[in-house]
Amino acid sequence: MRVLLHACCGPCSIATVRMLRDEGHEVTALFLNPNIHPVQEYLRRREAMQEVSRRLDLPVIWRDAEYDPVAWMRQMAWREQPGVRCRVCYATRLERTHSIAARGGYDAFTTSLLYSRRQRHEVIAEVGHGIAAAISDVPTPFLYRDFRTGWQEGIDTSREWGIHRQNYCGCLYSEAERFARDFAKVAGVKEERENI
Ligand code: SF4
């Protein structure tokens, strides 16, 4: 099958692409991630994806024109809790992937988000299948796979290739949550100083 793979980043795409190719699929990646904050981090992840594309001889559709952090933040207003915002974040990206796959005549679409052990795997699967079922006038099914089995391979290869490996999911909220403890330590020191 011709499969359109939504690629959230380079490291998550490595094992994902290999597994799909092992099944005999022809894979094209789609880099469409308006969630990434800040812009410099977007550029770093884009560069890593370029390197993966080069190493794996992987065609990539770049949708940089759809990177609009202000619009993304507006969309998340009052939905900031992780359980809510992540579902919206997955749906936003997978709806676009489905749309591009349908118009491009692909046989199926999927996402490298299914590779990460840190993502809400069942929610991603539910959202992907839901989008394919809801927009059934052009049937482009969601190809579910548990790419997490390639977790270590993805880590080892991305380290070997020296590509950027992010240490938070992507959005401003996830960065704040990831470094909350570090921030609290600093804030604690400041408070002590202010008390002196
Ligand atoms: S934590 Fe990750 S999946 Fe959830 S909203 Fe932020 S970028 Fe999207």
Side-chain angles (χ1 to χ4, degrees), residues 35 72 85-86 89-90 93 119 169-171 174:
N35 54 310
W72 192 87
R85 74 167 192 257
C86 294
C89 183
Y90 300 147
R93 291 182 279 172
Q119 295 292 345
C169 184
C171 63
S174 64

Side-chain angles (χ1 to χ4, degrees), residues 35-37 45 72 76 79-82 84-90 93 113 119-120 168-175 177:
N35 54 310
I36 302 172
H37 176 92
R45 294 189 193 189
W72 192 87
M76 290 299 157
R79 296 164 160 176
E80 293 87 354
Q81 304 93 327
V84 180
R85 74 167 192 257
C86 294
R87 181 179 282 272
V88 177
C89 183
Y90 300 147
R93 291 182 279 172
L113 290 163
Q119 295 292 345
R120 294 158 194 266
Y168 61 98
C169 184
C171 63
L172 171 65
Y173 312 111
S174 64
E175 193 211 14
E177 288 157 5

Side-chain angles (χ1 to χ4, degrees), residues 72-164:
W72 192 87
M73 294 290 280
R74 281 193 187 125
Q75 194 180 12
M76 290 299 157
W78 305 108
R79 296 164 160 176
E80 293 87 354
Q81 304 93 327
V84 180
R85 74 167 192 257
C86 294
R87 181 179 282 272
V88 177
C89 183
Y90 300 147
T92 304
R93 291 182 279 172
L94 291 183
E95 277 167 12
R96 285 295 292 137
T97 307
H98 175 270
S99 164
I100 293 166
R103 279 186 285 120
Y106 288 86
D107 300 303
F109 73 106
T110 189
T111 174
S112 62
L113 290 163
L114 291 169
Y115 160 86
S116 176
R117 289 181 181 172
R118 300 201 174 93
Q119 295 292 345
R120 294 158 194 266
H121 194 89
E122 285 69 30
V123 176
I124 297 164
E126 189 191 317
V127 168
H129 285 305
I131 289 167
I135 312 168
S136 54
D137 49 332
V138 184
T140 307
F142 179 66
L143 184 67
Y144 171 77
R145 291 288 183 273
D146 191 347
F147 297 120
R148 293 175 295 186
T149 53
W151 179 251
Q152 197 56 47
E153 178 193 344
I155 292 171
D156 294 345
T157 308
S158 55
R159 282 189 180 142
E160 185 190 321
W161 290 354
I163 62 173
H164 174 60

Side-chain angles (χ1 to χ4, degrees), residues 32-90:
L32 187 152
N33 298 295
N35 54 310
I36 302 172
H37 176 92
V39 177
Q40 283 181 318
E41 177 68 13
Y42 177 88
L43 295 173
R44 276 192 287 268
R45 294 189 193 189
R46 190 187 192 286
E47 196 177 307
M49 189 68 216
Q50 276 181 307
E51 183 62 11
V52 169
S53 166
R54 190 183 69 78
R55 298 252 191 184
L56 296 181
D57 194 19
L58 173 71
V60 179
I61 299 169
W62 303 96
R63 284 299 175 122
D64 302 314
E66 295 185 37
Y67 180 70
D68 184 344
V70 175
W72 192 87
M73 294 290 280
R74 281 193 187 125
Q75 194 180 12
M76 290 299 157
W78 305 108
R79 296 164 160 176
E80 293 87 354
Q81 304 93 327
V84 180
R85 74 167 192 257
C86 294
R87 181 179 282 272
V88 177
C89 183
Y90 300 147

